[in-house]
Amino acid sequence: MLILGLISAIYLIPTIKKEYFSLEESQIQNVKDNINNKENEISVKEKEPKKFKKSVANRPEEVKTVKEKLPERNAGENVRIAPPILQKRRGRGLSDEKEQELIKKGPQNEKQRAVVNAFKYSWKAYKTFAWGHDELRPLTKSSSEWFGVGLTLIDSLDTMYIMGLHDEFNEAKNWVAKELTFDKNRDVNFFEATIRILGGLLSAYHLSKEHVFLEKATDIGDRLLGAFSSGSAIPYSDVNLKTRIGHAPRWGPDSSVSEVTTVQLEMKDLSKLTGDNKYATAVEKISNHILQLGKKDGLVPMFINARTGQFRSMSTITLGARADSYYEYLFKQWLQSNRKNEVMKNEYLQAVEGMKKHLMRETVPNRYLYFGELLGSRTFSPKMDHLVCFLAGTFALAAHNNIGKDHLDLGKRLGETCYKMYETMPTHLSPEIAYFNQVEGATEDIIVKPADTHNLQRPETVESLMYLYRITGDAKYREWGWKIFEAFEKYTKVENGYSSIDNVKNPSNVGYRNKMESFWTGETLKYLYLLFSDDVELMSIDKWVFNSEAHPLPIWND
């Protein structure tokens, strides 16, 4: 028994949570031009730096632990300690019965109530103008379709349950039971459908024990297995729900590495629940194949060909779009297995050492820690997607589980950098992508290009703040989360719901994009609600592992 998402096409519709298009040759040339053009004075405020500060990452012989070599900037300050309940070692979490009692209590303080009100405001608009459709278009009081399966509704099921919104949950459950069908001639992204739809249904089942969610999860799981028709262990990126035939993406022959390595938690959980090993067997073949491929100190290129099963040579190495959750799921597969999958643990630890060696840098002048990219697998770029901010929480969670002696320091420092991506913007909302200054004498750490000023109400930073607060007990993480929530309220709330925005640098005209992403209600508001919980036993991180769409799945106890 269980006790437990060209660099992003900016206006791509739909907006894919984890993925972007990439023009790597132009990226590489752009960086080379900035480095080699000796005749031009480069404005730090407007362009990429033309040289990089020598750092620990390119002096391997001097690399020590982060605590020794990159000490915390605020190490001398007093830490604001949270209530004693947070100061506890890893345990097993509450019993199912006691956890249900805690959930039923609903919000317990003003900040949680404010987050619930934001959810209810979002949900009312979705129900009024987009019920049963994928996503709300709040400015035009209409809906948009991606998969055509009520994506926002499914993504929000467990959020409603955790917040104690039982009337809303039951109404959505009835729609799932009576209206939801996957028998439609529609291509879906294998990865996105897995983390959002399958993950959402599985989580709703685990929380509510309503069998309809498991029935629907099994149906979508069977259909998604059609992606495994490539001729290799690597599935196609897309699959047709009706025909169950997989195919490569329309933009090229390759799959993103994150697309094929961020499906394991969900498929394994489905096998656990149904007793049918076919789901777990399929995704284990992916993992075993990836294990055999050559890597750069544990780091992987962002593209892989489903037919050949090989990485695309000289593609970008990044912790952001198209590769991010590969690293997340290395660790979380170990966690899901009740910390028994040593292969995944060792792969994660090797990858972190590769991150520190090749990607880790500090900014000038304030020494904020960040992780850049290797364009063409060689040329360093001081660019970091907001997506990378998930890693601060992963580092902290690893430390909580007694692996990686310097991982908590890494998590705390990266978490601070991610918060600075919010705090230093005029709207106090983070851009989608930031560049970090490496030139001595500069006054600004964070550089934002015009194409990167949009904010999609992503969850990664508040996700990490939730982990950091629960693990360290430092109340500043809740203070940071509240300031981020206030900025969302001020700049993304519209007459009918919430909308992603175009320009975090222009408070007087943020440019509403007329789209409320499903992960706003499925992830961002959920993590904020949990961050502000006074009791860490609410969805305990010792009992649940959150998938890449914030859907909690149980940590197995057998």
Side-chain angles (χ1 to χ4, degrees):
M1 173 181 178
L2 293 171
I3 299 182
L4 260 144
L6 214 233
I7 292 174
S8 177
I10 304 301
Y11 299 99
L12 179 65
I13 297 177
T15 303
I16 301 179
K17 172 178 181 287
K18 298 287 183 183
E19 309 305 331
Y20 297 91
F21 292 98
S22 173
L23 295 176
E24 298 190 318
E25 292 183 359
S26 62
Q27 286 181 322
I28 295 169
Q29 190 60 47
N30 182 42
V31 172
K32 289 181 178 178
D33 289 345
N34 279 311
I35 295 173
N36 297 324
N37 188 355
K38 305 294 185 179
E39 291 127 45
N40 295 331
E41 288 289 323
I42 295 179
S43 167
V44 173
K45 292 184 179 180
E46 298 176 355
K47 299 183 180 180
E48 296 176 24
K50 64 181 178 180
K51 61 181 180 179
F52 305 120
K53 176 183 176 184
K54 192 176 183 184
S55 70
V56 173
N58 42 38
R59 299 197 304 272
E61 72 281 1
E62 299 179 21
V63 172
K64 297 181 181 180
T65 67
V66 169
K67 187 171 183 179
E68 295 173 324
K69 196 68 182 176
L70 299 174
E72 261 198 283
R73 296 172 59 252
N74 299 320
E77 296 181 359
N78 292 326
V79 176
R80 290 155 287 184
I81 299 299
I85 192 169
L86 288 167
Q87 307 306 308
K88 59 191 283 294
R89 299 303 297 168
R90 177 168 62 80
R92 300 176 68 94
L94 294 174
S95 67
D96 290 349
E97 294 77 13
K98 290 183 177 180
E99 187 169 55
Q100 290 293 328
E101 291 176 7
L102 186 57
I103 289 172
K104 288 177 181 178
K105 291 180 180 179
Q108 298 296 297
N109 57 55
E110 290 303 316
K111 288 183 171 62
Q112 278 195 312
R113 280 187 276 274
V115 174
V116 171
N117 288 338
F119 180 92
K120 293 171 75 173
Y121 187 82
S122 304
W123 189 252
K124 180 181 178 181
Y126 172 75
K127 181 179 174 182
T128 302
F129 302 112
W131 183 253
H133 296 281
D134 282 346
E135 291 173 319
L136 170 69
R137 296 175 62 84
L139 273 63
T140 54
K141 302 179 183 179
S142 59
S143 63
S144 63
E145 299 289 24
W146 185 8
F147 298 159
V149 294
L151 192 57
T152 294
L153 189 150
I154 295 174
D155 235 355
S156 303
L157 286 166
D158 52 12
T159 305
M160 291 183 283
Y161 196 93
I162 292 166
M163 289 181 174
L165 298 174
H166 303 300
D167 291 343
E168 291 87 346
F169 176 84
N170 286 327
E171 187 176 20
K173 179 193 71 177
N174 290 336
W175 183 88
V176 170
K178 297 176 182 179
E179 304 293 336
L180 178 61
T181 177
F182 299 121
D183 191 28
K184 49 184 61 184
N185 188 18
R186 194 112 189 187
D187 288 346
V188 300
N189 179 273
F190 172 55
F191 153 70
E192 295 285 357
T194 299
I195 65 170
R196 299 194 194 210
I197 304 172
L198 179 56
L201 292 168
L202 289 170
S203 178
Y205 173 73
H206 284 295
L207 289 166
S208 70
K209 308 304 181 187
E210 296 281 356
H211 197 72
V212 63
F213 296 125
L214 181 56
E215 291 176 355
K216 297 295 185 180
T218 305
D219 186 10
I220 187 70
D222 287 338
R223 296 172 189 273
L224 292 174
L225 287 181
F228 290 89
S229 57
S230 63
S232 78
I234 303 302
Y236 283 122
S237 68
D238 293 9
V239 62
N240 186 282
L241 288 177
K242 188 175 186 68
T243 67
R244 310 187 186 197
I245 296 175
H247 60 83
R250 303 192 185 283
W251 50 266
D254 297 330
S255 299
S256 301
V257 169
S258 60
E259 288 178 335
V260 302
T261 57
T262 313
V263 294
Q264 282 78 3
L265 295 184
E266 300 79 6
M267 289 293 185
K268 288 179 179 180
D269 190 70
L270 184 57
S271 279
K272 193 83 170 177
L273 289 172
T274 63
D276 191 334
N277 267 343
K278 65 182 180 182
Y279 313 105
T281 299
V283 296
E284 283 287 358
K285 288 180 180 178
I286 304 173
S287 298
N288 292 334
H289 180 81
I290 297 290
L291 286 170
Q292 306 306 315
L293 298 181
K295 305 176 184 69
K296 190 181 185 78
D297 295 316
L299 304 179
V300 296
M302 65 196 299
F303 290 115
I304 189 168
N305 189 288
R307 295 197 176 194
T308 66
Q310 300 299 308
F311 291 131
R312 184 198 292 182
S313 62
M314 307 308 292
S315 60
T316 291
I317 291 176
T318 177
L319 306 183
R322 298 195 176 279
D324 51 349
S325 45
Y326 163 74
Y327 304 101
E328 176 188 7
Y329 271 36
L330 289 179
F331 171 75
K332 288 185 175 178
Q333 285 184 79
W334 172 76
L335 190 59
Q336 182 189 47
S337 72
N338 200 13
R339 307 161 188 89
K340 294 176 182 177
N341 191 333
E342 292 294 313
V343 173
M344 292 295 104
K345 171 186 171 181
N346 292 335
E347 286 292 303
Y348 164 77
L349 290 171
Q350 182 184 18
V352 174
E353 292 307 307
M355 296 173 196
K356 293 193 289 185
K357 179 178 179 181
H358 299 290
L359 305 179
M360 188 173 73
R361 300 288 193 278
E362 288 181 303
T363 68
V364 174
N366 289 306
R367 298 181 57 232
Y368 300 136
L369 184 75
Y370 76 97
F371 292 88
E373 301 182 342
L374 293 180
L375 304 182
S377 298
R378 295 189 306 260
T379 308
F380 182 80
S381 171
K383 164 185 175 287
M384 189 173 84
D385 299 346
H386 182 275
L387 289 167
V388 179
C389 291
F390 85 90
L391 196 55
T394 302
F395 285 148
L397 192 57
H400 179 67
N401 284 275
N402 302 315
I403 67 173
K405 61 182 179 179
D406 59 352
H407 288 206
L408 184 56
D409 293 304
L410 286 171
K412 290 161 70 174
R413 294 199 63 196
L414 181 59
E416 180 185 24
T417 303
C418 291
Y419 177 64
K420 292 299 179 181
M421 290 169 65
Y422 286 80
E423 186 184 51
T424 58
M425 296 297 111
T427 58
H428 292 271
L429 289 174
S430 172
E432 180 75 356
I433 296 168
Y435 289 77
F436 294 91
N437 180 57
Q438 300 285 157
V439 179
E440 294 289 353
T443 59
E444 295 186 8
D445 296 88
I446 300 173
I447 306 159
V448 183
K449 297 186 175 184
D452 304 327
T453 60
H454 51 295
N455 179 285
L456 305 183
Q457 302 174 290
R458 288 195 185 277
E460 289 79 21
T461 294
V462 296
E463 168 188 356
S464 286
L465 295 180
M466 185 273 287
Y467 285 115
L468 285 164
Y469 173 65
R470 289 193 170 195
I471 290 164
T472 70
D474 191 336
K476 74 180 181 185
Y477 297 116
R478 294 223 288 190
E479 295 170 10
W480 293 356
W482 182 247
K483 290 177 181 178
I484 291 172
F485 175 72
E486 288 184 313
F488 280 135
E489 285 286 291
K490 184 174 182 178
Y491 292 106
T492 72
K493 190 174 184 178
V494 295
E495 184 178 354
N496 296 289
Y498 291 77
S499 174
S500 52
I501 62 175
D502 279 326
N503 197 341
V504 299
K505 299 181 72 175
N506 188 353
S508 63
N509 184 13
V510 296
Y512 296 112
R513 297 167 68 93
N514 192 26
K515 189 173 185 182
M516 190 175 80
E517 303 283 353
S518 76
F519 51 73
W520 165 246
T521 51
E523 295 188 74
T524 307
L525 292 176
K526 182 189 299 164
Y527 280 129
L528 283 165
Y529 184 80
L530 295 174
L531 169 62
F532 299 135
S533 174
D534 293 327
D535 192 336
V536 296
E537 297 295 354
L538 178 62
M539 306 310 296
S540 168
I541 59 175
D542 296 322
K543 181 178 179 181
W544 300 93
V545 54
F546 290 80
N547 85 338
S548 198
E549 190 75 7
H551 296 307
L553 303 174
I555 295 174
W556 304 333
N557 69 338
D558 56 5

